[in-house]
Amino acid sequence: MATHLTHWGAFEASSDGARLTEVRPWRGDPEPTPLISNVASAQHHPTRVDQPYVRRGWLEHGPGPGARGADEFVPVTWETALDLLAGELARVYREYGGEAVYGGSYGWASAGRFHHAQSQVHRFLNCLGGYVSHRNSYSLGASTVLLPHILADMGTIMARATTKSVLAGHSKLVVAFGGLSPKNSAVSPGGVSRHDTRGWIETARANGCRFVTVSPLRDDIPGEAQAEWIAPRPGSDAAFMLALAQVLDSEGLADNEFLDTYTVGYARFAEYLRGGVDGQVKDPEWAESITGVPAERIRRLAREMASTRTFITVSWSLQRAQYGEQPLWLGVVLAAMLGQIGLPGGGFGHGYGSAANVGLAVRLTSPPRLPQGANPVDDYIPVARIADMLLNPGGAYEYNGEHRTYPDIKLVYWAGGNPFHHHQNLARLRTAFARPDTVVVHDPFWSATARHADIVLPATMTIERDDYGAGEGDRFFFPMPALTTPHGQARDDYWMFAELAERLGVGKEFTGGRTTGEWLRYLYEEWRTRLLAKGHTLPDFDAFWSGEAIELPLEAEEHIAFADFRADPVSHPLHTPSGRIEIFSETIASFGYDDCPGHPVWREPDEWLGSPLAARFPLQLVANQPRTKLHSQLDIGDHSQSTKIRGREPVRLHPEDAAARGLATGDIVRIYNDRGSCLAGLAIDDAVRPGIAQLSTGAWYDPDPADPTHCRHGNPNAVTNDRGASRLSQGCTGQLSLVEIERHTGPLPDLTVTAPPRTTEL
């Protein structure tokens, strides 16, 4: 059996040459995930793109705005598709330049290092004259902008987080805002060799650690934690955390020596806590009226946090909302007030339970990857503002202290990722995708993004091509020889770009004169030579390629975040403007943003259970990540399909909310608000807080032809709000929306996303 790596884990597989015949978890993984079963069942699904296609309207009338998502597709030969695409690329670059090409191609794409789709498309577009790029991510839009101002960049926060073994050995209280989700910690960009979430938590419990999960979902933490569940109203976490801070401040429990030595701006923040700014003391009684959490429980938790070695972790979910910067900033502030940052088992973390690569041992080097070259176009957008960009060319917006304008995009090139999964208000995105002259998509499947393209090129899955891979921060590096032949006429991205580059006169610049196999050998040996110079010996390429995964050298088995800073803040300052933790940021304050001022505050969201809109839409939709797939990848796989209800994504409601609406488990329900609606299958579960509807993302968008605001399959982004978290970050706010739910009446509509789109011959 051969070993292969995916974003959700490694597996061993046998093949008959055309398809996988057996798939089982890699023997080195102590907590394997069943997501690997999606791979074999998806490979030859009817939704695989079997050959190149061109949208009929584009083929007949040429480039220009069009009815993307509603038109038929025409099958064409590879030669025809590549000639048409090369001609269109030449036209756009000649007439408009790289400033008119969006090559963001955001998404997780494949787990391989060489065939990583975004690296391939960016290298290719750089050879042609560059492209408009994106900044940040949908998962971490607010964090990536905020944290460098106040603590550290996200690379440092994640790659140099306190290792989980240190937490297991030293923490006595873990307060997890947003939980420690076992489903999210099962995945990591590039792959996961050994899952260990349940293991480190079980060890921590055995060592006397107590867990408190602050989340609307009781099962946002493994059962091994035996956690206390506190469930404030979603969107009110900042008020809850301000009250914890107020107790620490008013009862003399804050570590003033730490605050004086390692932070700036506490006095300004404390004035706000004490009511000196707005006349409102942010005490637990004030917070109870907002969060629904009893004041005495808030007060007791604050005292417990100050009495023992406490680790505060904030999940990525909290900042994926309007004013998402505030609870994240307050997590840093609470950890600073406790004075335990830099100590084993104490301090602050961001993303434990959000991805598997947080809290790993720090490896010495990253594995080799394909160089992308230099992008001569310096224009970019925050990634979650793609619909704004396409709908409003030349429009003004603010971002991280800058006044910017949106570019006028004529061509969108997407390879890897699926914006019709992760973006909000999908009917609005569909309107936006109708605006460019041309949309090009490489995809193995007829995803919603492929269905909204003009030129669709069939890409291979990772199991159908040679590559190697390792997850971000993961210590194992896997050879990944192709396990099967490609489906239909699918080709890898490198082959497609090499063919296009040759037609456009930049073939040698793109390929460097190398085949895929030659690139794999060249990049590996170059990397091995660099490591050898540092005293680390690895096998040569041939031995690596024919062998098992190799273990990468580590800096150390264990790491404590910000320990050097704590030991000597002068010699090891933070990369913030002051070199210290910024509880008040002069830089952010200078931007003049009411929605994100100079220190953390409570700002009431537009859509939460305490807002006037809740009178019409009394349920808080929590659109979190799914447990049966990674985002929307392989939604048609067996494991993903196993939890569907009559083909629809399941939505969870508390028994009280279901009874109030006369609903029963298994009902098909309509979830709706003023932006749109979707169908879902009902699952009644007291693990969700009353007033909550939990519908995970990942169902392939299946808009009703008569009403594109309605998704027949259960994609929550039919109803989520396409707005920025604040003017500071412009981050994604897809986590929380207000909705109502009713029983679906009438015939259940057929799904179209489980079959190829309509095709026609010219």
Side-chain angles (χ1 to χ4, degrees), residues 291-378:
T291 66
V293 179
E296 184 52 35
R297 183 64 200 95
I298 298 173
R299 191 167 279 111
R300 284 191 291 110
L301 179 59
R303 292 167 180 165
E304 184 182 4
M305 290 163 59
S307 70
T308 191
R309 185 58 56 86
T310 299
F311 186 72
I312 294 173
T313 179
V314 179
S315 78
W316 298 350
S317 60
L318 266 67
Q319 52 84 61
R320 292 185 68 251
Q322 188 181 13
Y323 312 129
E325 297 87 356
Q326 305 311 312
L328 176 59
W329 200 340
L330 282 161
V332 176
V333 171
L334 284 171
M337 293 178 72
L338 295 174
Q340 299 181 24
I341 292 174
L343 295 178
F348 169 79
H350 187 37
Y352 295 84
S354 296
N357 59 321
V358 180
L360 299 178
V362 180
R363 68 187 184 193
L364 185 68
T365 183
S366 294
R369 67 179 64 198
L370 178 70
Q372 298 181 21
N375 184 358
V377 176
D378 59 8

Side-chain angles (χ1 to χ4, degrees), residues 621-705:
L621 177 69
V622 176
N624 62 352
Q625 298 303 323
R627 63 181 177 87
T628 59
K629 50 187 168 281
L630 168 61
H631 295 183
S632 65
Q633 287 191 25
L634 309 184
D635 186 33
I636 38 72
D638 285 350
H639 184 59
S640 178
Q641 291 291 311
S642 69
T643 61
K644 305 270 187 181
I645 297 174
R646 296 170 67 186
R648 272 65 184 176
E649 200 70 12
V651 59
R652 292 198 295 173
L653 276 183
H654 190 275
E656 293 176 7
D657 296 313
R661 291 161 177 79
L663 301 174
T665 292
D667 283 347
I668 300 299
V669 297
R670 176 177 174 260
I671 305 169
Y672 66 95
N673 59 21
D674 288 335
R675 286 181 292 272
S677 60
C678 66
L679 298 183
L682 182 63
I684 298 175
D685 192 343
D686 65 3
V688 300
R689 184 192 191 278
I692 302 301
Q694 182 263 309
L695 174 63
S696 294
T697 62
W700 286 3
Y701 175 53
D702 195 354
D704 189 312

Side-chain angles (χ1 to χ4, degrees), residues 29-225:
D29 191 347
E31 300 175 19
T33 167
L35 270 66
I36 60 172
S37 66
N38 279 332
V39 178
S41 55
Q43 185 187 10
H44 296 293
H45 192 270
T47 55
R48 280 298 299 269
V49 185
D50 59 346
Q51 70 174 89
Y53 288 85
V54 180
R55 184 173 65 84
R56 179 169 184 161
W58 192 94
L59 198 58
E60 291 180 338
H61 306 296
R68 299 184 179 101
D71 207 350
E72 298 174 321
F73 284 91
V74 178
V76 297
T77 64
W78 269 111
E79 183 176 8
T80 297
L82 294 170
D83 286 347
L84 287 170
L85 179 51
E88 175 62 355
L89 286 164
R91 180 190 74 87
V92 171
Y93 275 94
R94 180 178 63 251
E95 296 182 7
Y96 305 104
E99 293 80 4
V101 176
Y102 183 66
S105 281
Y106 173 84
W108 283 46
S110 73
R113 304 289 293 189
F114 177 74
H115 288 295
H116 181 249
Q118 290 94 316
S119 299
Q120 293 280 347
V121 69
H122 292 167
R123 179 182 175 89
F124 171 69
L125 295 177
N126 284 338
C127 292
L128 299 183
Y131 59 96
V132 174
S133 60
H134 73 263
R135 295 278 177 92
N136 313 325
S137 70
Y138 280 83
S139 296
L140 288 161
S143 304
T144 309
V145 178
L146 172 70
L147 286 171
H149 289 296
I150 67 168
L151 184 63
D153 64 86
M154 275 308 305
T156 299
I157 295 290
M158 293 174 63
R160 308 195 75 83
T162 298
T163 46
K164 288 172 276 191
S165 59
V166 171
L167 299 180
H170 296 276
S171 298
K172 295 307 176 187
L173 175 64
V174 172
V175 183
F177 292 97
L180 291 167
S181 176
K183 61 181 176 55
N184 290 20
S185 55
V187 303
S188 178
V192 184
S193 59
R194 298 188 298 199
H195 295 85
D196 63 354
T197 298
R198 299 184 186 278
W200 83 260
I201 289 175
E202 189 172 31
T203 301
R205 281 290 304 178
N207 289 334
C209 181
R210 198 171 83 80
F211 288 82
V212 176
T213 180
V214 183
S215 168
L217 310 175
R218 186 177 62 219
D219 52 5
D220 251 354
I221 193 166
E224 287 83 353

Side-chain angles (χ1 to χ4, degrees), residues 4 54 100 102 127 137 144 163 200 255 325 333 359 379 415 443 487 490 554 562 566 568 572 582 635 678 727:
H4 197 77
V54 180
Y102 183 66
C127 292
S137 70
T144 309
T163 46
W200 83 260
D255 188 332
E325 297 87 356
V333 171
D379 204 0
D443 206 315
H487 175 87
L554 303 175
F562 305 109
R566 184 186 185 95
D568 189 343
H572 300 283
E582 302 218 354
D635 186 33
C678 66
R727 289 184 289 167

